[in-house]
Amino acid sequence: MAAVTDPSSLASFSKCTTKHLNLRFHVDFDSHAIKGNVALTLEALEDTFSSLILDTKDLKINKVTANGQDAKFTLGTAHSFNGSPLEITLPFELSRGQHVIIEVSYETSPQAFALQWLTPEQTAGKKHPYLFSQCQATHCRTMIPCQDTPSVKHTYYAQVSVPKELVAVMSAVRDGQEADPKDSSRTIYRFRQAVPMPSYLIAIVVGALESREIGPRTRVWSEKELVDLAAYEFAETEAMLKTAEQLAGPYVWGQYDLLVLPPSFPYGGMENPCLTFVTPTLLAGDRSLSNVIAHEISHSWTGNLVTNKTWEHFWLNEGHTVYLERMIAGRMLNEPFRQFKAMGGWKELQDSINTFGAKSPLTNLVPDLSEVNTDEAFSSVPYEKGFALLYHLEELLGGPEVFMGFVKSYIQMFAYSSVTTDDWKNYLYTYFKDKVDILNKVDWNGWMHTPGMPPVKPQYDTTLAEACIALSKRWIKASEADLSSFSAADLQKLSSHQVIEFLALLLHEDPIPLSHVKRMQEVYNLNAVKNSEIRFRWLRVCIRAKWDEAVPLALQMATEQGRMKFTRPLFRELYVFDKYSEQTVSTFLKCRSAMHPVTAMLVAKDLKIH
């Protein structure tokens, strides 16, 4: 087998592989640092093994030992975004298959990209500080010296010391707590992750957290101000888990908890094992089936159990997860709803490709990430182009039951390992050995290695979209005289998912006139809607129609939460509304220090601030 190279890692994972991490964290809110100690159990993969490289970024390394003996180490030259290689020389030689425990004591930087330290004012409770991590894709190295590549999987154990008025949780099963023997004002929380997983799934949160039980294997965690609303909103979690198990096989991670983060969390959700992280923008109070929760649950199989070997194969994680998420929705609601969500995804793909440009190599399903910052490459392309390919194959190979059979078999075949697109494709050909002639007609190069929209647009059932399409057409074609024909009843027949689609359709056309947008507010009162997916699209419709009154509302939404899906497009729309571009930049600069470091970096790039 050819050795795997990962353009996003500097670690020497062809020489040795990590089997287990033992972590000791002292979380220091005063200095905004984790004082850490990690013991890595490594297995040698070559016959005379005596040196290795770990990924680090912005870490202060204090000491390194190998099996308890001092080991020489140097930090190599820092790469602009991949960090600095920690080069370690062992005081002895190992042969292939032998294990060594490398222990590193270190400290994180207050600027660590994996960590956001929130002041009490940035929390719901306003009393205590808060810390959360986000390691995907390549930020674990700013929190732990490690082999920071998804091609390596390991178990972990952690002991975390925090101020005793706070609670720590991690992406692992809780293993008790005790008073810190070194400091009576602190508590140590312990965690065990017995299922091997990649470094990007290590996660920690420390804050004034409470939890509520919402199912036999699920608690929801958040600050107390939000915990009851979250428990109400996510009541369907166990039903989704059971549906996912019927589709994909047994859930192997034991606990499935949810944690609602403060508003600056940059993503909709993050599939940290045993503890999915979710944005508070999901708490709309309308309890509509959350595709975010279905998506993160699905990652327990596609992503966490079967993992992309490098970030160039990210579509294997995300395309399959979107496919599973929509299968769950189809089972729990109906097949037209699955089709409806797939149509919406196609539009999101068009949006991403328009943002990057149809010739951008980052719109390839399998991009080349040499010298590319994975945060800058992130988009809906691996999700929606990946899903579209899987749906196209479903159409060709015999429908959802047949293709879901393949997906389940693929998960069983590659569970607990990391895979490339070639591994997936070879297995597809093996599984469908009777239909190789059909597979050979697929334009693999067009799908995988060509930028822009896919070579084929799948055929979706438009039943649920028809009402949205009809209403959007009425608004697009309406003359001034027609505006009186609209009424609140237009939207009352639509579900929240259909209202989102109606607004998304308007965003795919030329901006509608300002008079129309004002009338829309008059009859539908969309400014009062709390559902963030609706609000986000409505405000973009308003900004494109050049409605001055929407500017403060859009700036507010862009800054009072930090989910990049909302924050980045809102800032971009406001920036191109000429008379407000200066105000947009000054608002960003004022709020920048409260933003998540990844969000701040990418919005600055969007607003051409260097």
Side-chain angles (χ1 to χ4, degrees), residues 176-188:
Q177 64 190 79
E178 61 189 9
D180 189 333
K182 295 189 187 136
D183 183 343
S184 61
S185 72
R186 299 177 72 86
T187 304
I188 291 176

Side-chain angles (χ1 to χ4, degrees), residues 280-391:
T281 63
L282 298 187
L283 303 177
D286 66 0
R287 219 170 176 181
S288 55
L289 181 84
S290 173
N291 54 322
V292 172
I293 306 298
H295 183 90
E296 303 313 331
I297 283 174
S298 300
H299 267 308
S300 309
W301 290 268
T302 48
N304 299 4
L305 198 55
V306 182
T307 306
N308 48 227
K309 199 165 259 191
T310 74
W311 297 110
E312 297 172 308
H313 303 283
F314 187 44
W315 84 271
L316 292 172
N317 277 21
E318 296 302 347
H320 287 88
T321 297
V322 173
Y323 186 81
L324 254 179
E325 159 210 329
R326 289 182 182 148
M327 288 297 275
I328 292 171
R331 285 273 177 102
M332 290 182 73
L333 291 170
N334 50 51
E335 177 60 16
F337 184 73
R338 180 176 85 108
Q339 300 278 331
F340 176 72
K341 294 307 278 185
M343 281 180 64
W346 185 266
K347 268 193 226 40
E348 296 206 354
L349 177 60
Q350 286 174 314
D351 291 341
S352 275
I353 286 172
N354 291 342
T355 302
F356 275 97
K359 294 206 163 44
S360 165
L362 293 181
T363 65
N364 286 15
L365 190 60
V366 185
D368 175 1
L369 293 182
S370 320
E371 293 304 315
V372 174
N373 182 337
T374 52
D375 285 326
E376 293 181 17
F378 185 81
S379 76
S380 70
V381 170
Y383 297 72
E384 296 297 350
K385 204 180 213 182
F387 170 83
L389 171 59
L390 297 175
Y391 185 88

Side-chain angles (χ1 to χ4, degrees), residues 407-428:
V407 173
K408 186 173 186 174
S409 180
Y410 159 75
I411 291 164
Q412 286 168 338
M413 178 72 190
F414 294 106
Y416 308 103
S417 61
S418 301
V419 292
T420 64
T421 299
D422 279 348
D423 298 328
W424 169 85
K425 190 176 160 194
N426 291 338
Y427 190 64
L428 180 76

Side-chain angles (χ1 to χ4, degrees), residues 8 90 98 112 128 150 172 179 181 191 234 240 265 269 290 316 329 349 377-378 447 481 498 537 565 595 601:
S8 306
L90 304 186
Q98 286 188 302
H128 298 289
F191 305 92
F234 303 138
M240 283 190 195
F265 181 59
S290 173
L316 292 172
L349 177 60
F378 185 81
W447 277 99
Q498 288 173 305
R537 290 170 178 80
K565 175 182 178 176
M595 288 174 131
M601 171 194 75

